Amino acid sequence: MGSTSTKIKLRTSDQKVFEVEKAVAVQSQTIKYIYENGCPDSVIHVHSVSGDILSKILDYCKKHVNSAAGKEDISPEELYEWDANFVKVDQNTLFDLILAANCLKIESLLDLTCQTVANMIKGKRPEEIRTTFNIKNDYTIEAEEAVRRENKWAFDMLGGVGTMVIEELADDTMSKCVTNTKSRVCVIAANQIVMMRSISKLANKKSIDVYKQPQNPTTPRIKESVKQRNVGTGFIELFFHFKCKM
Amino acid sequence: MCVEDRISSFPDPILCHILSFLPIKEAVRTSIISTKWRYLFASISTIKFDGYSMSGLTDRNIDSFKNFVDRLLKSPDQVNLDCFRLSHEICSWNDGDHDFDISGWICAALCRGVKEIDLQLGYLEDILPAVLFTCGSLVTLKLDAVGHKFKFPSDVCLGNLKTLHIRDSFFGDSIFRLISNCHVRRFGFY
């Protein structure tokens, strides 16, 4: 006998039976293990996967097996496109695919689906992430602050200490300030805007971002705490930090 | 959108797998989503410090970053690492003031059975620990040591190494020790 297309029978959680080519089914390490260590003719139960999801998964496996075996004339770019379309599904289906790929141990499908979810997280603020996945924020205010502190480097948006020079200063004093500061952010007071251009040039050389002080300091997106420090005769530097409220 | 929060009920390994696809800074930021997500990032299997993750580091938060890396790599009960990548931006902070222990980080990654190491550092002479060249778990090694003389030690033995990329280095005869001691299948010299 030795048929080249051995079939394997799979029964899903909702009692649907699929008959699949062995080469396709054993893309799943779980099915492969069960097949090789059990009775080859019996039906394999995939308890935690529904018929709809298994059907999609088998489409995926078939596409990839055929493409790898050269049975289908499809370039890597076309396969990549196909994969991209494969995961354009609603969130519930995507999650079902992840759980099934995990349970069936299909590594490439698990990577594909997890990457898709990662793309839904990337670039979003925490509030947006919570909305996307309907997650409830169960942190207390204190706990949330503690988390931000724990990994300050990841949460700082504008890079920490800003130096704002507020007094009437001679050009060279202000230049000295900018030259010597270790800050990455410099904020010019509203009444010092005329200095802005010369400061900007100097600041650009040091890769310092220059901002105008917001007209309304209680802009909701900027939280500032101010610490005053007297650094020498004739002027006061105000150190404060911007935190973009996330 | 799901009506309920399904994602937070995923097993931790799946959530960590998802986080492994994010830039590390964003992975760490997920800790603020909800209490369930607080420590997930600590179990990611891919650690890449590149220009993006290093941007925004300042004197004010650099200690926080250093502590983060120390905790992440040296914690005893961590999973195996798949990939550890450092790029040259990290060197600009490796001065007397900040005392980054890059060599120690590489050792810690090796202790966690890392499979791929990718170092795009400006210089490698004092940084590469000797254990790098006798690491049994390493499958892929990429070194970018721009223009510096680079020698493989005589007892180099990387049993599982399959891929080796070397960029912009002069390594002389010592490369033959590596080739003869290991079963490398893919070479890349740039």
Side-chain angles (χ1 to χ4, degrees), chain A:
Chain A
M1 290 242 300
S3 151
T4 49
S5 63
T6 323
K7 302 271 196 201
I8 297 182
K9 287 206 191 91
L10 305 172
R11 177 177 286 138
T12 64
S13 60
D14 47 353
Q15 307 306 318
K16 296 208 177 93
V17 178
F18 291 79
E19 200 169 353
V20 204
E21 275 182 32
K22 178 184 161 205
V24 171
V26 296
Q27 294 290 292
S28 153
Q29 296 299 306
T30 308
I31 293 177
K32 180 168 193 260
Y33 180 83
I34 297 176
Y35 178 76
E36 288 171 353
N37 291 286
C39 182
D41 288 331
S42 60
V43 179
I44 296 178
H45 292 256
V46 280
H47 300 286
S48 42
V49 187
S50 71
D52 290 339
I53 296 298
L54 187 65
S55 170
K56 281 191 76 73
I57 291 184
L58 292 174
D59 280 344
Y60 173 90
C61 294
K62 194 163 177 195
K63 191 77 176 177
H64 280 249
V65 163
N66 287 349
S67 133
K71 276 191 202 167
E72 211 176 300
D73 184 21
I74 177 171
S75 70
E77 293 80 22
E78 285 167 335
L79 187 62
Y80 183 83
E81 276 285 325
W82 190 92
D83 281 353
N85 283 323
F86 180 79
V87 285
K88 280 190 183 143
V89 291
D90 64 87
Q91 212 179 92
N92 257 322
T93 307
L94 182 62
F95 288 170
D96 287 334
L97 286 171
I98 289 183
L99 293 171
N102 183 53
C103 155
L104 293 173
K105 293 205 183 32
I106 308 172
E107 194 179 318
S108 64
L109 180 60
L110 185 62
D111 283 350
L112 175 66
T113 46
C114 285
Q115 171 81 73
T116 307
V117 176
N119 292 345
M120 290 160 77
I121 293 177
K122 203 185 282 196
K124 287 198 167 89
R125 295 197 305 278
E127 255 320 302
E128 291 168 331
I129 300 174
R130 289 186 196 116
T131 309
T132 305
F133 299 107
N134 209 31
I135 303 173
K136 186 167 181 296
N137 179 7
D138 57 352
Y139 276 116
T140 62
I141 297 189
E142 296 82 20
E144 190 171 320
E145 277 303 310
V147 175
R148 284 181 194 278
R149 264 199 314 273
E150 257 164 32
N151 285 301
K152 202 157 57 165
W153 68 277
F155 287 103
D156 272 358
M157 288 294 277
L158 282 187
V161 177
T163 308
M164 181 165 82
V165 180
I166 59 153
E167 297 291 303
E168 300 283 3
L169 290 179
D171 275 14
D172 56 348
T173 317
M174 195 180 277
S175 310
K176 215 194 283 184
C177 251
V178 176
T179 313
N180 292 332
T181 187
K182 280 195 174 183
S183 306
R184 296 289 196 271
V185 172
C186 174
V187 177
I188 311 273
N191 64 354
Q192 299 270 305
I193 292 305
V194 67
M195 301 273 198
M196 185 123 172
R197 197 173 295 172
S198 54
I199 292 300
S200 288
K201 233 171 137 179
L202 195 57
N204 276 338
K205 279 206 203 137
K206 285 196 68 181
S207 306
I208 298 173
D209 288 342
V210 179
Y211 293 85
K212 226 166 54 177
Q213 180 195 16
Q215 290 295 83
N216 176 4
T218 58
T219 311
R221 282 179 63 90
I222 299 178
K223 201 164 83 174
E224 49 190 336
S225 72
V226 173
K227 213 165 75 175
Q228 234 173 354
R229 207 173 95 175
N230 196 340
V231 290
T233 55
F235 64 91
I236 299 172
E237 276 189 9
L238 274 187
F239 288 89
F240 62 94
H241 43 269
F242 282 132
K243 258 197 279 191
C244 260
K245 184 110 174 54
M246 294 177 77

Side-chain angles (χ1 to χ4, degrees), chain B residues 9-10 22 34 56 64 77 84 87 114 134 148 156 158 170 172 182:
Chain B
S9 60
F10 279 2
L22 289 171
S34 78
S64 152
D77 48 22
F84 182 62
S87 68
V114 70
T134 52
H148 285 267
V156 62
L158 297 165
F170 303 104
C182 312

Side-chain angles (χ1 to χ4, degrees), chain A residues 111 123 130 134 138-139 150, chain B residues 3 17 26 31 33 35 38:
Chain A
D111 283 350
R130 289 186 196 116
N134 209 31
D138 57 352
Y139 276 116
E150 257 164 32
Chain B
V3 178
H17 195 56
E26 297 208 42
S31 56
I33 291 176
T35 54
R38 185 166 182 171

Side-chain angles (χ1 to χ4, degrees), chain A residues 153, chain B residues 24 28 39-49 65-79 81 84 105 108 112:
Chain A
W153 68 277
Chain B
I24 195 157
V28 174
Y39 296 112
L40 287 175
F41 70 87
S43 300
I44 52 173
S45 56
T46 299
I47 298 180
K48 295 181 192 168
F49 293 119
F65 175 75
K66 196 167 90 73
N67 292 337
F68 161 77
V69 182
D70 283 341
R71 263 185 293 134
L72 188 69
L73 287 174
K74 295 176 183 175
S75 167
D77 48 22
Q78 296 288 30
V79 299
L81 265 187
F84 182 62
W105 291 345
R112 281 180 60 187

